[in-house]
Amino acid sequence: MIDNRRAGSEKTPVFRLMAAMAVPPIDLIAKLKLSGVENVPKTGAFVLAPNHYSEIDPLIVGVAMWKVGRMPHYMAKASLFKVPIMGRLLTASGQIPVERPDSGRRTDPLGAAKQIADQGLAVVIYPEGSLTRDPDLWPMRGKTGAVRTALEQGIPVIPVAHWGTQLVMPRYGKKISVFPRKTVQVKFGPEVDLSTFADRKLDSQALAEATDLVMDAITALFEELRGAKAPAERWDPAKHNQKDTGRFEQ
């Protein structure tokens, strides 16, 4: 049973501590302009599905979530949980450790996401799985983790797009641009209608179709923020001899 706790109760001491460390620096370097806030559920579990093109994206999305009153739970590299202090904060705040595919260790991120969903919390899952490979930063093809979690748990998917984080930290950049202060637009969309999949077997075809709907919703929000039209065909790394993970030559 999902615990539809009050949203305010999610701001536990550990989240308040993390916010005290993250929000002021982000506010210093970036002005977040939030829109579509009414689309974020005030209570109950949901999957938040953002676009992804800068390594600072999770921090920007996390601060945006804090500002709308819902606490983000991420799937994070398992190695980060071994870092002193950081590891304790990640564990205490309910973040989800995920091992690298070649690590030889096994984790169950979807199972962990289910536990968070059962508690009525928000799970942030990047459908693209990594930073987009699209040369112009448009959302690329999606993976099925976000829709699988949502459909198996019967919780909504809320798409979100942001534009401007590349000015704070470019894709694969290592330095943060502090001055001048940047404007980052964050737009939350309405729940993606996945009702047609409720009675379908969740095979690879159904999950792929549902993922396309989510990516379409994210892309539409991104088009609004950029004031431009996305390419007719979504970028697929496999068609361009690119790996799904790791850096690549731009």
Side-chain angles (χ1 to χ4, degrees):
M1 177 180 294
I2 292 177
D3 174 15
N4 288 327
R5 64 181 68 185
R6 289 182 304 137
S9 68
E10 293 181 18
K11 289 189 174 182
T12 59
V14 67
F15 268 114
R16 293 183 184 278
L17 174 60
M18 294 173 74
M21 294 187 294
V23 175
I26 290 298
D27 283 344
L28 176 65
I29 63 178
K31 178 182 180 181
L32 269 59
K33 295 182 64 175
L34 308 182
S35 59
V37 173
E38 68 279 2
N39 292 313
V40 180
K42 291 181 172 56
T43 60
F46 67 96
V47 172
L48 187 75
N51 61 322
H52 197 15
Y53 56 81
S54 169
E55 293 188 8
I56 203 171
D57 290 346
L59 189 55
I60 294 292
V61 170
V63 170
M65 289 286 283
W66 171 267
K67 290 180 181 291
V68 301
R70 296 302 306 265
M71 301 302 98
H73 297 79
Y74 291 92
M75 294 183 182
K77 296 178 182 178
S79 58
L80 296 178
F81 287 75
K82 301 176 183 178
V83 177
I85 300 179
M86 178 187 293
R88 290 190 177 185
L89 288 174
L90 292 174
T91 299
S93 60
Q95 308 308 314
I96 306 168
V98 179
E99 295 284 358
R100 291 173 58 90
D102 58 355
S103 68
R105 302 184 181 91
R106 291 185 178 183
T107 55
D108 182 16
L110 292 180
K114 177 185 181 303
Q115 292 179 10
I116 289 177
D118 286 345
Q119 296 176 55
L121 304 176
V123 183
V124 182
I125 302 179
Y126 285 93
E128 295 166 274
S130 62
L131 302 184
T132 182
R133 264 61 171 150
D134 184 277
D136 201 26
L137 304 182
W138 290 100
M140 64 176 180
R141 63 88 188 95
K143 293 188 174 182
T144 61
V147 296
R148 180 185 291 275
T149 298
L151 290 171
E152 287 184 349
Q153 307 312 316
I155 60 178
V157 176
I158 304 299
V160 60
H162 52 77
W163 181 237
T165 60
Q166 78 284 359
L167 302 177
V168 178
M169 177 182 283
R171 179 172 50 184
Y172 298 125
K174 296 182 179 179
K175 295 182 179 180
I176 295 176
S177 176
V178 178
F179 300 108
R181 190 181 186 211
K182 314 300 188 296
T183 295
V184 177
Q185 301 178 74
V186 182
K187 187 175 182 66
F188 298 94
E191 174 185 348
V192 179
D193 184 3
L194 300 178
S195 59
T196 58
F197 299 94
D199 298 324
R200 286 182 59 178
K201 179 182 178 181
L202 296 183
D203 55 18
S204 59
Q205 180 64 31
L207 291 172
E209 292 175 16
T211 297
D212 281 341
L213 291 179
V214 171
M215 295 309 303
D216 287 344
I218 296 171
T219 302
L221 295 171
F222 199 41
E223 288 178 330
E224 293 179 29
L225 296 181
R226 293 184 65 167
K229 191 69 176 174
E233 183 178 353
R234 195 168 288 127
W235 188 272
D236 185 343
K239 294 180 179 180
H240 297 272
N241 297 317
Q242 295 172 332
K243 295 181 179 179
D244 281 354
T245 59
R247 295 170 181 262
F248 72 102
E249 296 296 328
Q250 303 183 50

